Amino acid sequence: MADPISTDPLERFEAAVRVRVGAEADDWLAQVPELIASVTDAWDLHITAVANRIDGFGMSIPARRESERVTVRIAYPDAFLADETAALRAWNGNGAVRIVEADERGAQLRTSPSPGTALSLERNEMTALRKVATTLRELWIEPPQGIQTLAAEVRAWGSTMPERFESVHQPFDEQLMRDAEVMFRSFGPSQMDAVLLHGDVRLETFLLDGERAVAIDPKPLAGEAAFDVAALMRDGPTELVRDPAAGRQRLQARLDQLTDLLDVRPSRVRGWAFAVSIDTGLYAYESGDVDGGDLMIEVARLCQSLSA
């Protein structure tokens, strides 16, 4: 039988899924405890800790299978999970965790890196960036057919930006919004060769497996590599804006190092980092998170000021 799971993570997961999916997820959410118990029995698992890495896209539960550390990933079975599954199967353990078992109801058993320390805990940031950059080269393979494209995402972001800006009562300089809108419209159709992107590159979405970095919880897209690099460059927004002058220097150092390591155009990385920060800020305002919105707009300003 499954070990008891704390209700607090489950409640947070349910709330996050409802925000992303809506009421249509209610029937599925009601079955999640049964799903966890079912796959725990079927896959002969021992749950070792409460769920973590919780958002609207999934919830991870540490476990053991005999002597092996594994992770149960629970996710609402929609197109997002289908894309994540396709990406993980395409990588097949090269640079990312591997799917060991799968249940079409929305559960997967995945390998668990050891020691599993997030790269965000590495004291030397440049060392962490180099490790992630090495792994990104492994991940950027030909995308599987059917993966959502960055071009399609960008069309949606750019086309709705003015209306979204108005709906949240213009909380920042309109010119920033216009600049981001133009950036999306120009960058979407002018991308370099499309590769399979992680889609959510942050130091905390890469764990140590021995001495190498391994990707977890991707939100994959098919698009140009500069998009992934831009996400990594603007990671840790709170620290970046605490001292804007120091934050700008830190961003510039990241931009210079990452574009050199990964052979991507600095202007593309800077542009993606700026425009996506504006989009993320708008989403925060729409969600009622004014502080989060203000934070991302300040990150956007810093990104826009970089030399590329």
Side-chain angles (χ1 to χ4, degrees):
M1 293 297 293
D3 290 13
I5 304 296
S6 167
T7 58
D8 178 63
L10 286 172
E11 288 173 357
R12 287 191 285 125
F13 178 58
E14 290 171 1
V17 171
R18 286 193 178 97
V19 168
R20 184 178 75 81
V21 179
E24 66 186 80
D26 285 351
D27 288 345
W28 179 81
L29 287 168
Q31 301 301 315
V32 166
E34 179 183 335
L35 174 60
I36 294 171
S38 173
V39 298
T40 298
D41 285 344
W43 297 337
D44 194 21
L45 305 176
H46 172 70
I47 302 299
T48 58
V50 298
N52 56 52
R53 302 204 313 265
I54 298 167
D55 61 19
F57 294 91
M59 172 177 67
S60 296
I61 306 172
R64 283 192 177 274
R65 191 183 208 183
E66 296 181 348
S67 61
E68 182 184 8
R69 290 176 53 189
V70 289
T71 296
V72 180
R73 184 70 173 170
I74 303 295
Y76 183 68
D78 61 2
F80 288 100
L81 179 59
D83 278 358
E84 184 179 2
T85 301
L88 289 174
R89 292 200 185 284
W91 289 320
N92 193 30
N94 295 314
V97 294
R98 181 170 54 85
I99 298 174
V100 180
E101 307 273 9
D103 186 303
E104 64 182 9
R105 293 175 293 173
Q108 293 180 356
L109 186 65
R110 300 179 181 179
T111 55
S112 185
S114 179
T117 308
L119 268 293
S120 56
L121 298 178
E122 167 62 53
R123 292 183 179 181
N124 187 316
E125 179 174 282
M126 290 306 173
T127 297
L129 293 176
R130 283 194 295 271
K131 286 181 181 291
V132 173
T134 298
T135 299
L136 286 175
R137 286 194 177 277
E138 293 185 72
L139 299 181
W140 291 338
I141 61 176
E142 183 176 349
Q145 284 197 336
I147 289 280
Q148 174 74 324
T149 67
L150 178 57
E153 289 284 275
V154 166
R155 281 195 298 271
W157 297 340
S159 65
T160 60
M161 191 163 276
E163 291 80 7
R164 294 167 62 203
F165 183 69
E166 291 295 332
S167 74
V168 293
H169 311 295
Q170 304 182 4
F172 55 90
D173 183 1
E174 182 177 355
Q175 189 58 51
L176 289 173
M177 182 275 294
R178 295 295 178 190
D179 290 346
E181 181 187 18
V182 169
M183 195 75 68
F184 281 144
R185 287 182 176 174
S186 63
F187 271 31
S190 63
Q191 294 179 68
M192 306 296 284
D193 293 342
V195 296
L196 179 55
L197 301 174
H198 180 281
D200 188 27
V201 180
R202 293 171 287 123
L203 291 179
E204 68 179 28
T205 59
F206 287 77
L207 307 182
L208 281 176
D209 188 28
E211 291 300 314
R212 70 185 187 122
V214 173
I216 59 171
D217 306 343
K219 295 179 175 61
L221 294 165
E224 69 171 348
F227 182 84
D228 266 355
V229 181
L232 181 57
M233 186 191 78
R234 64 187 180 87
D235 189 21
T238 302
E239 291 295 321
L240 293 172
V241 304
R242 182 169 288 124
D243 179 341
R248 186 189 182 284
Q249 289 182 337
R250 193 172 177 184
L251 280 170
Q252 188 69 58
R254 290 178 180 179
L255 177 63
D256 295 342
Q257 175 167 352
L258 290 170
T259 54
D260 181 60
L261 286 171
L262 293 167
D263 193 27
V264 290
R265 290 170 55 186
S267 60
R268 302 288 295 189
V269 175
R270 179 186 63 184
W272 282 121
F274 164 73
V276 174
S277 294
I278 294 292
D279 179 77
T280 305
L282 278 174
Y283 180 79
Y285 289 126
E286 290 171 317
S287 303
D289 181 7
V290 175
D291 289 342
D294 291 346
L295 172 66
M296 293 314 303
I297 299 307
E298 288 308 306
V299 171
R301 293 182 195 275
L302 291 176
C303 291
Q304 193 177 43
S305 73
L306 299 178
S307 300

